[in-house]
Amino acid sequence: MSAYDFTAQRLFVRDELAPSAEFAPSAEALNYLLNVLRMREGAAIHVFNGRDGEFRATLFDVSRRAARLRVAERLRVQPHRADLDYCFAPLKQARLDYVAQKATEMGAGRLVPVITHRTQIRRVNSGRLQSNVIEAAEQCGVLAVPEVAAAIELPDFLANLPAERLLAFCDEHADLANPVDALAGRTAGQGVSVLIGPEGGFDDAERAAIRRLPNVVCLSLGPRVLRADTAAVAALAILQAAIGDWRSPASTRA
């Protein structure tokens, strides 16, 4: 990977990015630039939008309550978003914030809240999920910002899952075995969804329905009981190490 300053301040924007483009930051971004970072005329920041790559931009026309950004050279090209869905039963808010951030850092391309029989939190604040995704992307150099899908009931999720798509089912009842070995011979070629249940796990009917799918692999996450937010990091690490982008020596930060 070429030299890159990952200590630089980064800002996610929704505007189109290209050299010489100019735009006014959103009110929230403006407050961050002027009042949190205390940037002044001519200060530089890295900007990205999840579509066009990452660019250096300079602040100009700065006043007490306004400023504009002028885009300069592109620093990194835009990578493709990984076809890796992190599918999870929603958790209480602080733990859900953590899960969204860590899934972004671990390379998930899409976050899918799945409502199960034992799910305790059945209403999902998608806006807050997206905010956590963006914050993690800004802090960790991520360009391929994950999509946040609408919450879906488990039966609908299973019915809509393409037959060729690999489902990595993190099952507390799976035989204790090396999960990397369980993935041997599998590929991410048709996309991967990793599914993690709620506190208390899946009920018997749900587990049976999942196991009937044509392209499912049941993964054990070890001999210890993991909280759902811990299981998220463990499962995504296993997937990335076994069949994901950790295997490629040419992988770069996305």
Side-chain angles (χ1 to χ4, degrees), residues 7 15 18 20 29 31 78 84 96 124 155-156 201 205 221 245 253:
T7 65
D15 303 85
S20 300
N31 178 66
Q78 180 66 37
L84 171 59
L96 190 57
V124 179
D156 295 327
L221 297 182
D245 59 17
R253 297 196 188 200

Side-chain angles (χ1 to χ4, degrees), residues 110-114 124 126 147-153:
R110 189 164 174 256
L111 276 60
V112 185
V114 179
V124 179
S126 297
E147 172 192 350
V148 175
I152 186 171
E153 297 284 338

Side-chain angles (χ1 to χ4, degrees), residues 214-235:
N215 199 17
V216 61
V217 57
C218 297
L219 298 182
S220 166
L221 297 182
R224 288 164 292 280
V225 175
L226 303 181
R227 295 192 345 174
D229 46 343
T230 308
V233 178

